Amino acid sequence: MRRWFSPPKTTAGLGLAAISYVAVDYLRHLSPTWHERLQPALWSILALIAISRVPFYKHWSSEFRAAIPFVASMLFMLACLLFEVLSVRFVTAVLGLDWHSDASPLPDTGQWLLLSLNEKLPETLVEILRARIIGLHHFLMLFMMLAFSVLFNSVEAPGLGLGARYMFTMAIGRLLRAITFVSTILPSARPWCAATRFRVPAYPHHWAQKYYVPYASDPNAIRQIINQDIAYADTGEYLGDYQPDWGSMNFLINFLRPTPGEGASWSSLLKKAGGGCNDLIYSGHMLVAVLTAMAWTEAYGGYSSAFIWLLVMHSAQREIRERHHYSVDCVVAIYVGILLWKMTGFIWPVKDSMRSRRLAKLDRIQGRLIQAAKDSDMDEVRELLKEVELGTQESQNKGQSKHMWLFSCATIFSALTIVLLAFTLTSDG
């Protein structure tokens, strides 16, 4: 594994491309006209350069072997995202809108620190910290650029293997995140959020009416339920909810709590979940940022990795400053992201594949090599070692047939499509 912030294998082209992308995209805040001109031009240039490298790429066989893990990781991530979206809607709906508007935000020392620094730091530096330099879609695009750089031998192949590790790690992170925030419901740092984004009932679900509301604030009631360990309060008649006909998906009604004006299908509710309006510990945005930085550091290294981590830190303080998350959400996301990335190293890089092929070739010529060494025939030794190297390259390039070319074209087309979709769907952060 490459040491952190070590010099990259090739030139600094990837780092310059990353800085150019972030700088050009920030022009949307400084000069929207120039942004509209330069951003399409930059993406077109990067796409054309990447496509021009396809005929010279020598690792399509490795990419082919990584295709199945890549697709499996993508499906697993989509399943985890579906569970997360269901959980987001549940934690918002179960207590009702009145609870969200009445609940006070939690005390956050990170917010206090940033407000204090605003009074002490130079105004220019404070404005830089407030600037919307980096967002969720930037980190996704930076990872796409990193994965595409395998075409230039800047990153160890296969690129699909790197993508599989990224998505699998993110899926695990999102699954753990959903389990975490659905376990204990915490109030949002923005009390008005739920009322402006969700149309759930104002009153609690009957589960909360029975198990939470009678014991929410009365110390004697809390002491009594601890002693009895049973929900003893008589809540009377429960307030009911709207009951649409979702067929086989009716079991979701208690979790999603639809209202008459939200559409006839359960899926239409999930599209409105967004990022949720509770404190969703830990931050999903920060998880993506940290995984991008970890991938960049391990795969590419160099001073550009330090730049990516600076962007991560800037994004974290903005999440806290703008009260999208509490400080604890960002802190937990950072160390969870680092630990999860370290745990999924078995997916990429495939460290031993090239080494095993060389060892197998050496094993076949071992007798000849020993004899040449005994005879002090250095020319023969060099020829045999060259044969090992050429044999490894031939096995790597084997399969560059018509079918492999079709696979390479399909891979590039699919990857560019994913880039376009990711940019479109996350461009608002």
Side-chain angles (χ1 to χ4, degrees), residues 72-95:
S73 297
M74 183 167 59
L75 294 176
F76 178 50
M77 185 180 70
L78 291 175
C80 292
L81 289 174
L82 176 61
F83 175 72
E84 183 185 43
V85 171
L86 289 169
S87 301
V88 166
R89 173 79 184 198
F90 169 72
V91 297
T92 303
V94 69
L95 290 173

Side-chain angles (χ1 to χ4, degrees), residues 243-320:
Q243 300 289 318
D245 183 12
W246 288 348
S248 61
M249 304 302 289
N250 276 346
F251 71 93
L252 289 176
I253 292 175
N254 276 326
F255 297 95
L256 303 183
R257 301 191 73 194
T259 55
E262 288 190 295
S265 67
W266 63 273
S267 59
S268 63
L269 272 65
L270 302 184
K271 296 175 183 177
K272 304 174 184 178
C277 282
N278 294 78
D279 176 46
L280 305 180
I281 185 169
Y282 39 88
S283 170
H285 285 60
M286 286 307 302
L287 178 67
V288 173
V290 171
L291 292 183
T292 300
M294 288 297 293
W296 197 287
T297 300
E298 181 175 334
Y300 190 70
Y303 296 111
S304 60
S305 296
F307 172 70
I308 301 298
W309 280 106
L310 285 175
L311 293 179
V312 171
M313 294 300 106
H314 187 277
S315 182
Q317 62 87 29
R318 265 194 55 229
E319 290 287 309
I320 300 167

Side-chain angles (χ1 to χ4, degrees), residues 264-374:
S265 67
W266 63 273
S267 59
S268 63
L269 272 65
L270 302 184
K271 296 175 183 177
K272 304 174 184 178
C277 282
N278 294 78
D279 176 46
L280 305 180
I281 185 169
Y282 39 88
S283 170
H285 285 60
M286 286 307 302
L287 178 67
V288 173
V290 171
L291 292 183
T292 300
M294 288 297 293
W296 197 287
T297 300
E298 181 175 334
Y300 190 70
Y303 296 111
S304 60
S305 296
F307 172 70
I308 301 298
W309 280 106
L310 285 175
L311 293 179
V312 171
M313 294 300 106
H314 187 277
S315 182
Q317 62 87 29
R318 265 194 55 229
E319 290 287 309
I320 300 167
R321 182 185 298 275
E322 298 176 5
R323 305 208 174 192
H324 297 295
H325 279 284
Y326 295 112
S327 301
V328 63
D329 304 327
C330 297
V331 172
V332 173
I334 290 172
Y335 66 70
V336 167
I338 293 173
L339 292 175
L340 286 178
W341 184 262
K342 291 292 187 181
M343 292 172 60
T344 54
F346 63 92
I347 300 177
W348 180 96
V350 187
K351 299 180 178 66
D352 297 326
S353 60
M354 187 73 73
R355 181 171 176 266
S356 62
R357 285 194 291 270
R358 286 198 179 100
L359 289 176
K361 185 68 176 178
L362 279 170
D363 189 56
R364 287 195 294 271
I365 67 168
Q366 182 180 10
R368 295 162 58 194
L369 189 60
I370 293 174
Q371 186 60 47
K374 288 180 178 179

Side-chain angles (χ1 to χ4, degrees), residues 6-21:
S6 60
K9 288 186 293 189
T10 56
T11 65
L14 180 59
L16 292 175
I19 295 172
S20 299
Y21 161 62

Side-chain angles (χ1 to χ4, degrees), residues 134-150:
I134 193 77
L136 172 64
H137 65 289
H138 293 104
F139 287 111
L140 291 173
M141 292 303 107
L142 287 171
F143 176 78
M144 296 290 188
M145 294 168 66
L146 179 70
F148 268 100
S149 67
V150 297

Side-chain angles (χ1 to χ4, degrees), residues 137 141 417-428:
H137 65 289
M141 292 303 107
T417 302
I418 292 173
V419 170
L420 183 61
L421 288 174
F423 185 79
T424 303
L425 297 175
T426 64
S427 60
D428 60 352

